[in-house]
């Protein structure tokens, strides 16, 4: 069993069956033996970008995440504290939260964002 945290773009690729999501990662996400998490930071980012007209995404992400069989990962005070202490290598606050959550919870962050690899955490490239 592996435990993954999906970056926002990976969740959206999964939901849209986007070709950018590699076949091996589709298998990993779809494998019921693996635990797949979606952060509250991801749904927050999606709702902000949708409201700004920068993104088109389904509205009821809470239900969709449940229907997909993914686990919801809330943001805790500890996660916030860790995110705030991260080196300023990456400026995006949503990504910084995902990095902190992956570190704190021992999760593999599935992301295509190469700049995240500057941090100390396990990463899986979703394009493979």
């Amino acid at each position: 069993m592996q435990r993954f945290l999906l970056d926002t773009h990976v969740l959206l690729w999964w939901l849209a069956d986007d070709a950018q999501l590699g076949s091996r990662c589709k298998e990993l996400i779809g494998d019921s033996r693996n635990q797949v998490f979606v952060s509250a930071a991801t749904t927050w980012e999606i709702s902000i970008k949708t409201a700004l007209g920068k993104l088109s995404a389904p509205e009821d992400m809470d239900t969709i995440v449940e229907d997909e069989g993914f686990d919801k990962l809330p943001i805790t005070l500890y996660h916030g504290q860790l995110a705030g202490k991260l080196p300023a290598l990456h400026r995006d606050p949503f990504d910084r939260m995902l990095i902190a959550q992956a570190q704190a919870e021992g999760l593999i962050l599935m992301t295509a964002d190469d700049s995240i690899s500057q941090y100390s955490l396990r990463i899986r490239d979703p394009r493979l």
Side-chain angles (χ1 to χ4, degrees):
M1 178 181 90
Q2 296 182 75
R3 299 171 71 233
F4 296 100
L5 176 59
L6 304 183
D7 199 344
T8 304
H9 60 276
V10 178
L11 174 63
L12 294 173
W13 289 353
W14 171 263
L15 295 176
D17 196 24
D18 193 300
Q20 293 181 85
L21 186 60
S23 59
R24 179 65 183 132
C25 280
K26 285 181 185 179
E27 289 174 20
L28 290 169
I29 294 170
D31 187 337
S32 62
R33 294 172 295 184
N34 292 328
Q35 196 171 12
V36 179
F37 291 88
V38 175
S39 172
T42 293
T43 57
W44 181 19
E45 180 179 20
I46 289 170
S47 65
I48 287 173
K49 289 184 176 179
T50 300
L52 293 172
K54 294 182 176 184
L55 180 67
S56 177
E59 286 193 28
D60 190 6
M61 291 306 293
D62 189 72
T63 301
I64 290 169
V65 166
E66 251 180 50
D67 290 348
E68 292 295 324
F70 300 151
D71 291 298
K72 300 172 192 174
L73 183 60
I75 297 171
T76 67
L77 294 174
Y78 182 65
H79 295 150
Q81 201 171 19
L82 284 179
K85 291 180 180 179
L86 287 172
L89 304 172
H90 197 307
R91 293 275 192 219
D92 184 301
F94 300 109
D95 286 338
R96 290 173 63 82
M97 179 53 68
L98 294 179
I99 292 164
Q101 288 182 304
Q103 288 176 335
E105 306 302 327
L107 304 174
I108 301 166
L109 181 57
M110 197 174 283
T111 183
D113 186 338
D114 294 328
S115 64
I116 290 177
S117 65
Q118 300 174 86
Y119 291 93
S120 177
L121 75 158
R122 294 180 301 156
I123 296 173
R124 171 76 193 198
D125 188 329
R127 299 166 289 197
L128 304 177

